[in-house]
Amino acid sequence: MSITLNALLKSPWVFHLSSGSCNNCDIEVLDCLTPRFDVERFGIKLAGSIRHADVLLVTGSCNRKSSARIRKIYEDHVPRPCVVVAIGECSLSRGLFIDSYNCPLPLDRIIPVNVYIPGCPPKPEAIIAGVVKLIQRLKASV
Amino acid sequence: MAKTIIPIGPFHPLQEEPEYFSLTVEGETVVDVDVELGYNHRGIEKLSESKTYDQVPFVVERICGICSTSHPYAYVKAVEDISGCTIPERAEYIRTIIAEGERIHSHLLWLGLAGHFLGYNTVYMWVWKLREEILDVMEILSGNRNNYAMFKPGGVRRDIREEDIPFVIKKIDSIVKTLDMLKKAILDDPVLHARLKGIGILKREDAIDYSALGPTSRASGVAKDVRKDAPYGAYDKVEWKMIVTEKGDVFDKVVVRVLEVFESISIMKSCLLSLPKGPIDANLADIVPGEGIGVHEAPRGETFHYVRSDGSNRPTRHKVRAPTFMNLPTCKSTVIGAAIADAAIILASIDPCYCCTERLAVCRIDGKRMMNGGELIRLSVEKTEKLKKEMGRR
């Protein structure tokens, strides 16, 4: 196992990227950090800058304005290795907004996605379960 | 002194939504502020024209996750305004209970984030821990933590079970106890006083000029509240008072929100105790042609919905105006002149909600209009037509 991946599995730092969501998923992500759910006990920490992040948590139905920025962030700014977690129905399949004129593509057509967490919004428990599954899968792959 | 532009955003950890602020500063002082939106635009008004009247509440619920009661409430009021029906009393009470529960969780959310912006992460953690209790209450009442799906034109979708009421009242009583402790801890903290008092002052005249709404205007001494001015739901049937403060600085906005949480708890409790019996749905018949407006006092201020019907099963026009649309311009008068270190909390003090406010703008860059594929084809067709005419061909 490479040293970077080993460090990532011990303590994945997440950056939360809202690509045009309704705030609900974003708040549930923040909720995960607060005392009741407290994901910091697993070493998961919200990073202040995209350049410190190992995991990108993307919420929302990517609209025309934000999808170009998301692609740029993923391609140019994020350190490798990076895993992408799509949170909420909007980023999975655009959900309700599939017919909207401003949401042309789902997230996985813009950047590669590793984990999908469905729900509108997913409960904090579901988000934690998703991240745990991600870590297990990464462990199995190395 | 040379001016510098500090860009904030669009993707930054300060706020959960993407939006772009550019602060023009001279030394430490902010001299201009501009905001660029559009990262959240999803075309909701157009989308709701393609849904039936019963489906639209689910669409407007997802305008904003924090105001997921305010938008459906204003929308159903607009539809009921068209049809002119009266809804059952029990449904009015249930609507009020859900709306107040949302106000409690929204104000607590803001209070926590305000603590986070100030570097008081203890406040953030304590308040959000408390907020979980009210989310539990909402989960019992509506079945979900955030998107409640309780509203439908003519009534509510889900009844409150009698056996849940004692538990809910016990739960909100326990919130009052912790909140009292928090109120004392927050409002008596000398550091917070030094940090918040006298910054970001929105003067009474400015609040009126900008038509500020909700806690932003009430903190500046403008007593404006839809729940008192044009009572609806059960707001005229229970006792509560409007919280108004005079100074208009960030501290007053904190005070208004904290005290409003207590009022909301008391409204919620008295509604639960005096919940009338009866049906919960007026079984609305077909919507007649016409137009209607609905207003609701959301946690951030007055939410306004306009619906036009042509007698079919879908609205032909649905217009949404969220409170942040009116409150955001007040930043021009509050942030300018402040220090950069205070800018974050002043910008956050209106409790901004950008996904409610999103508008679409067709912009010009360097005076040239940006074109899409359809317009290019139109221009091409026009040129062909013009050439045909010039060459005398048909």
Side-chain angles (χ1 to χ4, degrees), chain B residues 305-347:
Chain B
H305 278 236
Y306 165 85
V307 177
R308 189 163 66 218
S309 153
D310 62 352
S312 67
N313 62 345
R314 288 144 208 251
T316 50
R317 179 78 177 97
H318 182 191
K319 165 85 190 134
V320 178
R321 199 212 58 203
T324 306
F325 186 70
M326 308 305 293
N327 286 341
L328 195 56
T330 61
C331 287
K332 274 271 186 203
S333 81
T334 50
V335 174
I336 292 174
I340 315 175
D342 292 334
I345 186 68
I346 300 174
L347 288 174

Side-chain angles (χ1 to χ4, degrees), chain B residues 264-323:
Chain B
S264 291
I265 289 173
S266 100
I267 295 175
M268 206 172 165
K269 202 172 159 188
S270 38
C271 280
L272 278 166
L273 287 173
S274 58
L275 195 62
K277 297 235 172 344
I280 55 162
D281 192 358
N283 294 321
L284 217 57
D286 289 347
I287 311 290
V288 292
E291 49 186 9
I293 57 167
V295 283
H296 167 64
E297 183 75 18
R300 290 160 184 75
E302 176 195 313
T303 304
F304 174 92
H305 278 236
Y306 165 85
V307 177
R308 189 163 66 218
S309 153
D310 62 352
S312 67
N313 62 345
R314 288 144 208 251
T316 50
R317 179 78 177 97
H318 182 191
K319 165 85 190 134
V320 178
R321 199 212 58 203

Side-chain angles (χ1 to χ4, degrees), chain A residues 15-24 26-28 30-31 33-37 40 47-49 61 63 65-66 69-70 73 96-97 99-103 120-121 123-125, chain B residues 11 13 16-18 36-44 46-47 51 58-59 62-66 109 113 124-125 128-129 131-133 135-136 139 144-147 353 355 360:
Chain A
F15 184 79
H16 151 245
L17 193 72
S18 166
S19 63
S21 69
C22 73
N23 261 349
N24 245 343
D26 316 83
I27 287 164
E28 296 295 47
L30 289 185
D31 238 0
L33 302 165
T34 52
R36 182 178 288 185
F37 301 102
E40 266 192 49
S49 162
S61 53
N63 69 11
K65 198 167 177 176
S66 62
R69 270 113 179 148
I70 288 168
I73 283 174
L96 196 72
F97 304 106
D99 297 327
S100 167
Y101 56 80
N102 211 23
C103 306
C120 184
K123 293 182 85 169
E125 290 94 332
Chain B
F11 297 105
E16 63 269 24
E17 302 152 281
E36 184 195 325
L37 300 171
Y39 299 95
N40 257 331
H41 184 81
R42 286 151 292 158
I44 298 226
K46 191 71 194 160
L47 206 58
K51 308 274 183 221
F58 299 106
V59 179
R62 282 155 181 83
I63 290 177
C64 168
I66 319 172
L109 181 143
L113 286 181
Y124 171 44
M125 292 298 170
W128 277 54
K129 188 180 172 191
R131 184 176 158 267
E132 288 295 324
E133 306 287 320
L135 290 183
D136 284 349
E139 196 170 356
N144 203 352
R145 282 161 57 92
N146 288 309
N147 288 339
C353 180
C355 37
L360 186 72

Side-chain angles (χ1 to χ4, degrees), chain B residues 40-99:
Chain B
N40 257 331
H41 184 81
R42 286 151 292 158
I44 298 226
E45 288 179 4
K46 191 71 194 160
L47 206 58
S48 80
E49 288 167 18
S50 67
K51 308 274 183 221
T52 64
Y53 284 105
D54 266 355
Q55 288 172 330
V56 177
F58 299 106
V59 179
V60 291
E61 204 165 65
R62 282 155 181 83
I63 290 177
C64 168
I66 319 172
C67 325
S68 57
T69 301
S70 318
H71 287 289
Y73 205 153
Y75 164 77
V76 295
K77 276 181 72 189
V79 174
E80 284 151 12
D81 189 24
I82 300 176
S83 65
C85 72
T86 48
I87 70 159
E89 210 183 359
R90 188 176 173 90
E92 296 266 31
Y93 271 74
I94 294 176
R95 283 179 179 186
T96 309
I97 292 165
I98 298 294

Side-chain angles (χ1 to χ4, degrees), chain A residues 1-135:
Chain A
M1 194 189 283
S2 75
I3 188 159
T4 43
L5 200 57
N6 194 11
L8 191 151
L9 293 178
K10 286 263 163 43
S11 158
W13 282 22
V14 299
F15 184 79
H16 151 245
L17 193 72
S18 166
S19 63
S21 69
C22 73
N23 261 349
N24 245 343
C25 300
D26 316 83
I27 287 164
E28 296 295 47
V29 168
L30 289 185
D31 238 0
C32 292
L33 302 165
T34 52
R36 182 178 288 185
F37 301 102
D38 194 19
V39 288
E40 266 192 49
R41 63 206 152 114
F42 304 125
I44 301 172
K45 200 168 169 257
L46 202 64
S49 162
I50 203 116
R51 293 180 197 273
H52 301 157
D54 306 309
V55 181
L56 272 189
L57 306 175
V58 189
T59 60
S61 53
C62 312
N63 69 11
R64 285 178 199 277
K65 198 167 177 176
S66 62
S67 43
R69 270 113 179 148
I70 288 168
R71 191 179 290 129
K72 188 170 165 54
I73 283 174
Y74 182 75
E75 282 167 5
D76 301 347
H77 296 179
V78 183
R80 298 286 186 266
C82 164
V83 281
V84 178
V85 182
I87 295 179
E89 211 56 58
C90 292
S91 53
L92 262 65
S93 65
R94 289 168 285 162
L96 196 72
F97 304 106
I98 196 155
D99 297 327
S100 167
Y101 56 80
N102 211 23
C103 306
L105 289 173
L107 179 68
D108 52 6
R109 299 267 300 277
I110 299 169
I111 55 173
V113 175
N114 298 76
V115 178
Y116 299 86
I117 303 174
C120 184
K123 293 182 85 169
E125 290 94 332
I127 297 176
I128 295 170
V131 175
V132 168
K133 270 184 191 156
L134 169 80
I135 292 172

